[in-house]
Amino acid sequence: MKEIFEFVFLGIMFFLEGKSPWLTFKADRWHHAAQNIAVKFFNMISIYVIFFLAKYFPPINVWNFSLLGKLNLPYFLEIIVVIFICDIGTYFLHIATHQVPFLWRFHRVHHTDLFVDASTAFRTHIGETLVSNVLFLFFIFPFFGITLQQYLIYQILYALVAIFNHINLPLPDELDDFIKILIVTPNMHRIHHSDKIFETNSNYGSVFSFWDRLFKTYKVKENLKELNFGLKEFTHPRWQDFPGILITPFVSPVKNRLNFY
Ligand SMILES: [Zn+2]
Ligand SMILES: [Zn+2]
């Protein structure tokens, strides 16, 4: 269900990117998108298994607590609070995936993309998806009393904004600046895909742009077309195809061999 929204939105964006791209691709954009979509399909299957298990083995409330249950907010307000909780959780988890070497191995898959377009939003390694879902479903949600249904609402919002902030379309700067007051935009997220580490380690926000401003991880750049996307250790074409993407967390590109620690 959620995926229908994602694929329709991706299809529209991909069509528009073909008409008037912000940056002209040096590679075959269809082949590029197909690899990222393959990653998405692989993840979808795994996520359905997790949700299936979560339904039949409800997450144990390790905290014996439910903050939202105690607050007893009107449903609409509760949804807003849930969206904020999920998004700030995603923000801090994103920082952790950059700072903790083991997590970075999985998250770097998102950063090895040499051409950022709407399909890059789909490029998340299953290892990272598993870590974040287990953390949210088993630890964070029971504490707040967040339901699977509420999580799904956030997931739809997250997925659509992720596609939006990866688009390879020339949004007018004024419009980008206006949207950026609240939501993470392409200009903001492009900096996060820079191959320079001081730029990669900034603009961690997923849906809302204000976490970065609040926690001083916000960065702007004047000439965004000077950016180089990707990671310097992973520019070889083998890291751009589906099998290469899957094994990226387990390799040492410097030694050019598998490295499971
Ligand atoms: Zn990142
Ligand atoms: Zn990204």
Side-chain angles (χ1 to χ4, degrees):
M1 173 66 186
K2 159 183 163 281
E3 285 78 17
I4 296 171
F5 289 111
E6 290 179 67
F7 280 103
V8 169
F9 192 39
L10 177 78
I12 297 167
M13 292 302 118
F14 189 74
F15 172 76
L16 294 174
E17 284 170 340
K19 295 269 168 218
S20 110
W22 177 71
L23 213 65
T24 310
F25 264 50
K26 289 186 204 102
D28 177 356
R29 61 189 287 268
W30 286 88
H31 178 80
H32 167 262
Q35 309 312 306
N36 290 339
I37 289 168
V39 173
K40 173 73 179 174
F41 274 113
F42 189 76
N43 285 356
M44 268 164 58
I45 298 163
S46 316
I47 291 163
Y48 277 117
V49 172
I50 296 174
F51 270 69
F52 176 82
L53 291 175
K55 216 178 259 177
Y56 289 94
F57 303 95
I60 310 143
N61 195 338
V62 285
W63 314 105
N64 200 18
F65 187 73
S66 161
L67 191 65
L68 288 172
K70 285 192 184 0
L71 291 176
N72 211 6
L73 298 169
Y75 192 71
F76 181 72
L77 197 60
E78 190 172 291
I79 293 290
I80 306 274
V81 173
V82 165
I83 289 171
F84 281 136
I85 294 169
C86 291
D87 203 50
I88 196 170
T90 307
Y91 168 82
F92 281 115
L93 183 62
H94 192 178
I95 293 181
T97 59
H98 279 242
Q99 303 301 332
V100 180
F102 177 74
L103 297 179
W104 170 247
R105 282 178 168 262
F106 293 92
H107 180 64
R108 69 186 177 192
V109 165
H110 183 68
H111 286 268
T112 54
D113 205 337
L114 299 174
F115 304 99
V116 173
D117 73 356
S119 77
T120 307
F122 284 1
R123 189 174 170 127
T124 305
H125 196 274
I126 183 61
E128 182 181 346
T129 308
L130 287 175
V131 167
S132 61
N133 274 287
V134 166
L135 193 70
F136 277 106
L137 290 173
F138 290 88
F139 296 98
I140 298 173
F141 293 172
F143 179 82
F144 290 102
I146 294 171
T147 64
L148 281 180
Q149 194 193 24
Q150 290 171 331
Y151 183 40
L152 205 63
I153 295 171
Y154 174 72
Q155 287 267 293
I156 293 170
L157 182 68
Y158 170 92
L160 297 182
V161 174
I163 293 170
F164 165 70
N165 62 39
H166 286 92
I167 50 169
N168 182 30
L169 287 171
L171 273 194
D173 283 346
E174 298 74 24
L175 179 62
D176 194 288
D177 286 345
F178 178 70
I179 300 171
K180 202 163 59 180
I181 296 169
L182 187 66
I183 303 284
V184 178
T185 58
N187 277 355
M188 184 174 166
H189 195 67
R190 277 168 188 146
I191 299 168
H192 186 71
H193 278 271
S194 162
D195 67 352
K196 295 189 178 62
I197 189 144
F198 69 96
E199 289 173 337
T200 316
N201 290 345
S202 72
N203 297 357
Y204 293 102
S206 293
V207 173
F208 298 116
S209 56
F210 43 72
W211 307 125
D212 281 295
R213 289 196 204 90
L214 196 63
F215 298 108
K216 311 263 182 275
T217 50
Y218 181 71
K219 212 174 222 92
V220 284
K221 191 177 169 80
E222 279 307 309
N223 199 347
L224 286 165
K225 296 234 166 150
E226 286 172 0
L227 281 172
N228 283 318
F229 294 137
L231 296 176
K232 288 188 178 108
E233 320 89 281
F234 288 93
T235 52
H236 192 280
R238 80 168 72 101
W239 309 120
Q240 301 305 320
D241 283 349
F242 180 62
I245 291 171
L246 277 193
I247 63 160
T248 293
F250 313 109
V251 297
S252 166
V254 180
K255 293 173 189 151
N256 205 17
R257 62 173 169 78
L258 283 172
N259 174 11
F260 293 89
Y261 283 114

